[in-house]
Amino acid sequence: MTLLEVGPAHTGGDVVVHLPDSGIVFTGDILFHGGHPIVWAGPVTNWIAACDRILELRPTVVVPGHGPLATPAAVADLKAYFEHLSAEAKARYDQGMSPLDAARDIDLREYAEWGEPERVVANVHALYADFGGGPRPDVLTVMGEMASLAGQPGEVPPVA
């Protein structure tokens, strides 16, 4: 058994467990299979690198932190998601769009069917910070924007 530190990505303590003799990797919260991930720590480039590291292990079974058992294809899909989201967010960052407006505008393509799509706004905030857009807003603001994106009433105002 091998423990591999791959964070910070989802959180500051992201670790995967590799059982090479069994061909199994336990990804913890690095793999959200069938649902949008949420970047609390980042940077997103670390999450992409974590996906690469998992794929380099050549597992046959991947045990995600969220969702059903998977194959390496699910890890490749998550990596492609972050690459797509990074490119789309960068274009909107360069245009001066707010993270919430960018999240509303980005075409999620094949990822639109994944669960919890409102998490995209948190991921765009993380990417904007990665691009040099300053600190991320507090969790209440992000949650309020996620609720707004999901069409829920009662957007939470920013904390001063």
Side-chain angles (χ1 to χ4, degrees):
M1 174 176 64
T2 306
L3 299 176
L4 302 167
E5 184 178 359
V6 295
H10 173 63
T11 62
D14 293 309
V15 173
V16 300
V17 178
H18 182 217
L19 304 175
D21 294 340
S22 303
I24 300 172
V25 173
F26 293 84
T27 66
D29 284 342
I30 291 297
L31 181 57
F32 286 62
H33 183 206
H36 287 266
I38 189 164
V39 182
W40 288 125
V44 171
T45 54
N46 282 1
W47 210 319
I48 292 169
C51 290
D52 282 335
R53 210 148 166 219
I54 293 166
L55 293 170
E56 288 167 4
L57 298 172
R58 300 191 184 282
T60 54
V61 176
V62 179
V63 182
H66 298 265
L69 285 177
T71 66
V75 179
D77 288 346
L78 185 64
K79 177 184 175 189
Y81 164 86
F82 276 122
E83 291 170 337
H84 170 71
L85 193 61
S86 295
E88 294 295 315
K90 181 68 165 100
R92 286 153 182 83
Y93 173 83
D94 290 344
Q95 293 171 11
M97 290 179 84
S98 73
L100 179 57
D101 287 341
R104 286 185 173 126
D105 191 57
I106 291 171
D107 179 3
L108 294 174
R109 301 183 336 195
E110 65 267 22
Y111 316 110
E113 298 301 316
W114 288 5
E116 299 88 30
E118 65 277 3
R119 292 177 176 171
V120 169
V121 74
N123 299 338
V124 171
H125 270 293
L127 285 162
Y128 273 37
D130 293 352
F131 302 147
R136 293 189 211 176
D138 61 87
V139 173
L140 287 178
T141 299
V142 172
M143 291 293 188
E145 289 184 3
M146 287 170 54
S148 176
L149 188 65
Q152 300 297 318
E155 186 172 339
V156 178
V159 175

